[in-house]
Amino acid sequence: MKYIVVLLLALASCHAIDRPRGVSIEKASFYQGGTEFRCFSNGKTIPFDHVNDDYCDCEDGSDEPGTAACSNGLFFCENKSFKGSYIISSRVNDGVCDCCDGSDEYDGSIACENTCEKVFAAIRAQQEAFREKQDAGYKVKLEYIQNGRRLKDEKLARLTELSKDKEFLVLERDTLQAVKEEAEAPEKEAKTKHEQAWEAVKAERKKKVEAEAASVAFAELDANQDSIVDFPEITRHPEFDIDSDGTVSDEEAKEYLEEAEQVDLTTFIEKIWPNIKEIYKPFGTKAEEPPADKVEPPLPEDPADPGKRPNFPPDDIPEGINPDESEDKYDEDNEDDDEEGDEDDLDGEYDIKSSAGSREPPALNDKVPDEDRMPDYDDETKKLIAIADEARKKYDEAENKVKDIDHEINEIKKYLELDLGIEEEFSALKGQCFEYTDREYTYKFCPYEKTSQKPKGGGIETNLGNWGHWHGPEGDKYDSMKYENGQSCWNGPNRSCNVKLHCGAENALTGASEPSRCEYQFEFTTPARCAAPLPAGSHSHHEEL
């Protein structure tokens, strides 16, 4: 009780301090005693009786706190029994009641009603509404904190568990890899042996076909049928004209015979035929050219149906071709040619028609003629393939388990690296997205991920920035979030977005703007930003007029 009495006396003495009009109690000491007054800004001294003489002597207006003489001065409204406030000195005695107690209009030109009680009642109502909102938001925040801490503890525990599981799975995978490699070695050896045998068969078959083709060519070149091909017989074939002078010289003919005068069939097959088979043309394969004015496009050669014309697209019909005479047969012939080309391309390929170990794509198998398909593996090789397939299957399963556990570990680590607030209160925002729509756009905010905008009527979404870092001022970094490196503006920088966070009873994106080109700002309310509410009846900085 004694302490309260002393406090009241002290307060009374403070209010009793003599000070010029327009000066607050806090600044009263600057206007006490002496015959001179010192200006606040530059220390200039003036006679004390020049204070409030309605003439501005100090540059900062500190000598005229109670008059309108200085445009940059401040007048202190007493607002007795309530909270004092400042107004610009130019409003003093201007015929408008600016102080709620009317103390700024002291010259008596107008009578001001004391509205302080009404004004402060409204302020107190605002404060109470804010306090209630803060109280509701803070209760939710406490739940966020509890859930966030529990989630973090669970992830840490799970990370420890996964790390132990990974050690076991890696050991199991490595063991199965060794088993797989051990099973694949005899499989590979058996398959290679089988395939090499098949390649040898194909090579022998090809050699036989080549020998038959060479024999036919040898018989045709051997004009006198003496079982010898000499250089004069070579000169009869114009395709061997190396210098394209219209004749095949003896030297050119001998060059194709490997400088020999003549060769027998065996030598021709082994040495000569491989070098001339792409050049050689038997007599009768080139039709006599018609007169220049009657040249027609060449027809496809089809022994079964000669003279049939090809089908051409309407815009690509060569001059001299009657489209009415086109036949589907030409397309079929082309398809046959393509298939023959495919067979050449697949030379050396094989088909494994075993259910165990077959890796040949069915589409390729279908294009390989039966005579060119590699024979099925023998039973012993199939067993080796089955054993290796089973080993591969078990290894793949173990490898996938290791990959899955690595993925989960990495996701947990990325979560734990996030700054979710001092007490994990922002963890509730992770994984959520919020939208706000104005007259033109729908804005989207996904905490810890990105911000974006999309035309309200539909269209392409524009990335306004990806999660960067907390961007609040010193001492309150959780005041805002920075999103960077969004989609680039035309002839400008990459877009970025600052998300300002406010206390609210629920999470909501409440506004979006573009304060400067390519730089956006979102307003977001969340319980995570609510502080512990002050007791009812207490004062805060929100009481300022």
Side-chain angles (χ1 to χ4, degrees):
M1 183 66 180
K2 181 179 180 181
Y3 172 77
I4 296 176
V5 172
V6 172
L7 180 60
L8 291 174
L9 291 174
L11 290 173
S13 64
C14 287
H15 282 281
I17 294 176
D18 186 26
R19 62 187 189 279
R21 187 190 303 271
V23 177
S24 65
I25 295 176
E26 291 79 10
K27 294 183 179 180
S29 61
F30 295 106
Y31 296 88
Q32 295 297 315
T35 59
E36 292 183 338
F37 174 77
R38 188 179 298 276
C39 299
F40 292 170
S41 60
N42 56 16
K44 174 184 175 182
T45 58
I46 61 174
F48 194 82
D49 59 6
H50 286 189
V51 173
N52 279 344
D53 66 348
D54 205 21
Y55 182 84
C56 193
D57 297 290
C58 297
E59 292 181 357
D60 59 3
S62 57
D63 64 310
E64 298 296 320
T67 73
C70 299
S71 61
N72 58 344
L74 292 175
F75 178 87
F76 181 73
C77 301
E78 290 286 350
N79 300 331
K80 292 181 180 180
S81 301
F82 297 98
K83 187 175 181 65
S85 62
Y86 284 95
I87 62 171
I88 300 173
S89 294
S90 59
R91 296 180 180 178
V92 174
N93 291 325
D94 64 349
V96 178
C97 301
D98 296 290
C99 298
C100 68
D101 63 355
S103 57
D104 58 312
E105 300 298 320
Y106 57 82
D107 65 356
S109 59
I110 64 169
C112 295
E113 178 186 359
N114 190 326
T115 61
C116 289
E117 184 174 355
K118 185 187 299 183
V119 170
F120 278 92
I123 292 176
R124 279 192 290 269
Q126 293 176 1
Q127 291 175 343
E128 183 61 23
F130 177 81
R131 191 186 68 80
E132 290 177 358
K133 179 180 73 172
Q134 189 177 39
D135 184 43
Y138 186 70
K139 289 179 180 178
V140 177
K141 179 180 180 179
L142 292 177
E143 295 178 8
Y144 285 178
I145 292 173
Q146 183 179 9
N147 293 336
R149 287 174 173 174
R150 184 180 68 250
L151 181 59
K152 184 174 183 179
D153 290 341
E154 289 175 354
K155 288 187 176 294
L156 287 170
R158 179 61 177 162
L159 184 62
T160 302
E161 179 184 351
L162 290 173
S163 298
K164 294 179 180 178
D165 291 345
K166 181 180 176 180
E167 293 179 5
F168 172 78
L169 290 175
V170 168
L171 180 62
E172 181 183 33
R173 180 201 62 187
D174 293 346
T175 301
L176 291 172
Q177 182 178 12
V179 172
K180 176 179 76 75
E181 292 172 354
E182 184 178 354
E184 286 176 334
E187 175 204 37
K188 181 178 180 181
E189 182 180 354
K191 289 171 67 175
T192 300
K193 182 178 179 181
H194 180 88
E195 291 156 12
Q196 287 175 345
W198 172 239
E199 290 298 326
V201 170
K202 288 203 301 180
E204 186 63 31
R205 182 189 297 175
K206 184 176 180 180
K207 182 178 179 182
K208 182 179 179 181
V209 172
E210 288 289 328
E212 290 175 355
S215 297
V216 173
F218 183 87
E220 195 276 331
L221 287 170
D222 184 12
N224 58 11
Q225 299 298 307
D226 61 353
S227 300
I228 294 294
V229 171
D230 55 22
F231 69 87
E233 291 172 322
I234 294 294
T235 61
R236 298 172 62 246
H237 282 256
E239 65 268 22
F240 297 123
D241 181 10
I242 296 176
D243 56 13
S244 301
D245 62 355
T247 61
V248 181
S249 65
D250 294 348
E251 290 74 14
E252 289 174 328
K254 289 179 180 180
E255 183 172 341
Y256 281 107
L257 291 179
E258 301 290 334
E259 302 301 331
E261 295 285 336
Q262 60 185 24
V263 295
D264 58 14
L265 177 59
T266 301
T267 304
F268 181 83
I269 292 174
E270 294 178 354
K271 294 184 178 182
I272 308 305
W273 179 245
N275 296 328
I276 71 169
K277 64 180 180 180
E278 301 297 334
I279 302 171
Y280 165 74
K281 294 179 181 179
F283 284 126
T285 58
K286 184 176 182 182
E288 182 180 354
E289 295 184 0
D293 60 342
K294 293 184 180 180
V295 173
E296 290 186 0
L299 297 173
E301 296 179 7
D302 187 348
D305 194 6
K308 291 296 181 180
R309 295 181 181 274
N311 286 328
F312 292 98
D315 297 334
D316 297 332
I317 299 175
E319 183 179 354
I321 292 294
N322 184 353
D324 296 334
E325 297 179 5
S326 299
E327 297 287 347
D328 293 339
K329 179 68 176 176
Y330 182 75
D331 292 335
E332 295 172 3
D333 292 342
N334 283 343
E335 291 174 4
D336 292 340
D337 292 341
D338 291 341
E339 290 176 2
E340 290 174 4
D342 290 340
E343 291 172 14
D344 293 338
D345 293 339
L346 291 170
D347 188 28
E349 295 292 333
Y350 56 86
D351 171 36
I352 305 173
K353 299 178 68 176
S354 166
S355 59
S358 177
R359 304 220 173 207
E360 189 72 15
L364 291 179
N365 291 344
D366 294 342
K367 293 183 180 180
V368 179
D370 289 342
E371 63 270 17
D372 289 339
R373 295 178 186 271
M374 186 177 72
D376 203 0
Y377 290 122
D378 58 61
D379 291 342
E380 186 61 31
T381 302
K382 289 180 181 179
K383 290 179 181 179
L384 294 174
I385 292 173
I387 293 171
D389 278 347
E390 183 64 22
R392 279 188 287 266
K393 178 182 176 182
K394 291 182 178 179
Y395 168 78
D396 289 343
E397 290 173 352
E399 173 66 7
N400 287 335
K401 288 180 181 179
V402 172
K403 288 181 179 179
D404 290 343
I405 207 167
D406 274 337
H407 177 74
E408 188 176 354
I409 287 174
N410 290 334
E411 288 300 310
I412 292 176
K413 286 182 177 180
K414 283 196 292 185
Y415 178 90
L416 294 175
E417 288 171 0
L418 288 175
D419 185 350
L420 299 172
I422 297 175
E423 299 177 291
E424 302 295 311
E425 63 271 25
F426 292 100
S427 61
L429 304 182
K430 181 74 172 69
Q432 296 196 63
C433 290
F434 307 91
E435 292 186 352
Y436 168 79
T437 301
D438 62 12
R439 290 182 299 177
E440 295 185 67
Y441 297 100
T442 293
Y443 297 90
K444 193 173 185 179
F445 168 47
C446 300
Y448 297 101
E449 293 181 24
K450 67 175 184 177
T451 54
S452 63
Q453 73 172 10
K454 187 176 182 180
K456 186 177 179 180
I460 299 175
E461 185 177 75
T462 300
N463 186 339
L464 302 183
N466 301 304
W467 164 244
H469 54 273
W470 289 101
H471 193 57
E474 184 177 356
D476 189 17
K477 73 172 183 177
Y478 300 109
D479 171 77
S480 60
M481 307 171 89
K482 187 70 172 180
Y483 290 78
E484 305 167 314
N485 298 319
Q487 187 173 330
S488 61
C489 288
W490 182 83
N491 200 26
N494 288 349
R495 290 174 171 82
S496 63
C497 184
N498 184 55
V499 182
K500 181 78 172 176
L501 275 63
H502 309 277
C503 170
E506 60 183 8
N507 295 313
L509 188 59
T510 59
S513 60
E514 188 177 1
S516 58
R517 184 170 179 262
C518 305
E519 295 182 2
Y520 298 80
Q521 178 156 319
F522 287 0
E523 305 297 331
F524 184 73
T525 63
T526 174
R529 275 292 290 169
C530 293
L534 295 172
S538 61
H539 301 292
S540 71
H541 65 278
H542 295 284
E543 294 174 331
E544 296 291 348
L545 283 172

